Every structure is written in structure tokens, then in C-alpha cells.
């Protein structure tokens, strides 16, 4: 049996133990020249074929920067100032002088009432010079018989209170003095003897004249009516 020269050419390197055999379609690899004893060379080849050992990689912790923030707080400063230099400061209760009558009455200052109201007894209407008048008594206390006063009726008002019947009250002009301030205002007349205060000072006196501090009482002290000239 005859062997082809091409086959002999390919088998010759294998028979010679050459490791540099490669086929024409493969890329040639440069030969590695080993030095040293055969045992060391074999150990080097085996080590080269093994995977490198796994090494633990520890990442450095990120740097944390602490930024100090200073928050400024603004506090409101309360400063007491007068509401108005030309106005009275009244408490919830003040002593009021009334004219005619010349009486001093401990009175309730009521910003919710549109007009002032006075407690009277023996209220009787009558006619004088063709005009309607009223005669009544007003006193400073339960044991006081009171003084008799006669005044012309300016008009009538109807007052409705919860739990009470609607009242038709006569309205007269009277002079009220609180502290150093005196005003002629409309006052409606009714029986307030069951209430704590005989006189209720409403907004018609307070308007443009006074401000009320409900936490205080008798701020103005004794009234000082103007002296007759």
C-alpha cells in the first residue's frame, strides 16, 4: 500500500513530538522557548493554564462631609403702644356721671349695644307744649328712692331680646361723663333693676371717643364732669 507524500509530510512532525504543528488555516503562534529542567517547565505550563486566584476587592467608603447649618430664628417683639393719644382707654366697667340727675352709676361698657340704656322706674309719658315728654325716676341703688327727671322724647325704638317680649322704649338725650370726656348721647329708658348695672354705655358714646380693654375695670376712676360757667 503506497502512502501519499502529503500525508507523510503532515505526520512527520507528530512523530517527532513537535508541538508547533499547525494547519495552514490556523494562525501561527510563536514558539515558546522553555528553559530549565523539564519538570519545572511542565509546572510552569500547568500554572499558566490555571485561572488566577480570586482576589477580594474592597471599595473605599465614600467620604461623608458634615455641613453645619445655622438657622436663624426671628422672634416678634411685642411693644405696647397707645391706640390713639386722643381716645380714652376704658375697662369693661366704669363709673359714669349722668345729667340731668347728678348721679354716679357703676356702668357696663358694651361695644355690642348700638345705643346706651338707662334703668328707670315710674316711667310716665305726658304732653308739654304740644310735644311728648317722659317723667321717670333714676337711682344709684336699690335703697335709693332716686331723683325725678323730666325730658322730651326724641323718638322710640323697639328692642328684642331672646326670651323676652319686644319692648318699645322712649329715647331721650342725656349727658354722660367718663373720666374727663363728656358726650350728649341718646339713651333709651327701660327697667333694668333685675340686672347688675343700671346704665349700659353703648357704641354711640364710644364711637370716635374711646377704646375698650375688657381685661380691666374702672380704668378712668371717678368721672370729672365739666363745671358750669
Amino acid at each position: 500500500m503506497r502512502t501519499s507524500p502529503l500525508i507523510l509530510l503532515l505526520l512527520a512532525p507528530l512523530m517527532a513530538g513537535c508541538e508547533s504543528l499547525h494547519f495552514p488555516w490556523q494562525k501561527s503562534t510563536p514558539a515558546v522557548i522553555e528553559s530549565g529542567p523539564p519538570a519545572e517547565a511542565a509546572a510552569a505550563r500547568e500554572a499558566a493554564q490555571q485561572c488566577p486566584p480570586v482576589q477580594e476587592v474592597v471599595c473605599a467608603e465614600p467620604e461623608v462631609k458634615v455641613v453645619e447649618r445655622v438657622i436663624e430664628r426671628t422672634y416678634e417683639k411685642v411693644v405696647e403702644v397707645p391706640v390713639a393719644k386722643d381716645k380714652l382707654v376704658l375697662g369693661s366697667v366704669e363709673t359714669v356721671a349722668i345729667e340731668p340727675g347728678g348721679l354716679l352709676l357703676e356702668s357696663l361698657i358694651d361695644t355690642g349695644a348700638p345705643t346706651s340704656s338707662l334703668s328707670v322706674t315710674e316711667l310716665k309719658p305726658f304732653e308739654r307744649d304740644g310735644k311728648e315728654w317722659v317723667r321717670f325716676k333714676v337711682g344709684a341703688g336699690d335703697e335709693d328712692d332716686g331723683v325725678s327727671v323730666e325730658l322730651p322724647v326724641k323718638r322710640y325704638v323697639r328692642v328684642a331680646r331672646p326670651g323676652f317680649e319686644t319692648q318699645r322704649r322712649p329715647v331721650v338725650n342725656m349727658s354722660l361723663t367718663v373720666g374727663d370726656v363728656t358726650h350728649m348721647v341718646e339713651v333709651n329708658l327701660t327697667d333694668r333693676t333685675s340686672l347688675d348695672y343700671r346704665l349700659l354705655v353703648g357704641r354711640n358714646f364710644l364711637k370716635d371717643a374711646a377704646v375698650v380693654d375688657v381685661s380691666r375695670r374702672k380704668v378712668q376712676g371717678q368721672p370729672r364732669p365739666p363745671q358750669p360757667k
Side-chain angles (χ1 to χ4, degrees), residues 16-49:
C18 180
E19 296 181 357
S20 62
L21 174 65
H22 64 276
F23 296 97
W25 58 84
Q26 295 179 334
K27 295 182 179 180
S28 60
T29 303
V32 179
I33 301 176
E34 299 178 355
S35 61
E40 295 181 0
R45 286 196 301 273
E46 183 178 357
Q49 294 176 359

Side-chain angles (χ1 to χ4, degrees), residues 113-156:
T115 60
S116 301
S117 180
L118 177 65
S119 176
V120 299
T121 59
E122 302 181 16
L123 179 64
K124 294 180 181 180
F126 67 97
E127 186 175 333
R128 176 178 292 174
D129 298 332
K131 295 182 180 180
E132 190 172 3
W133 284 56
V134 288
R135 181 184 298 112
F136 56 89
K137 283 189 175 182
V138 56
D142 296 335
E143 299 179 358
D144 186 4
D145 292 336
V147 295
S148 182
V149 179
E150 295 180 353
L151 289 172
V153 176
K154 185 174 183 180
R155 61 190 179 94
Y156 283 89

Side-chain angles (χ1 to χ4, degrees), residues 123 125 132 134 153-160 165-171 188-191:
L123 179 64
E132 190 172 3
V134 288
V153 176
K154 185 174 183 180
R155 61 190 179 94
Y156 283 89
V157 294
R158 290 190 177 275
V159 179
E165 295 181 358
T166 302
Q167 293 181 341
R168 184 173 180 265
R169 301 178 182 178
V171 176
N188 67 73
L189 307 177
T190 185
D191 185 357

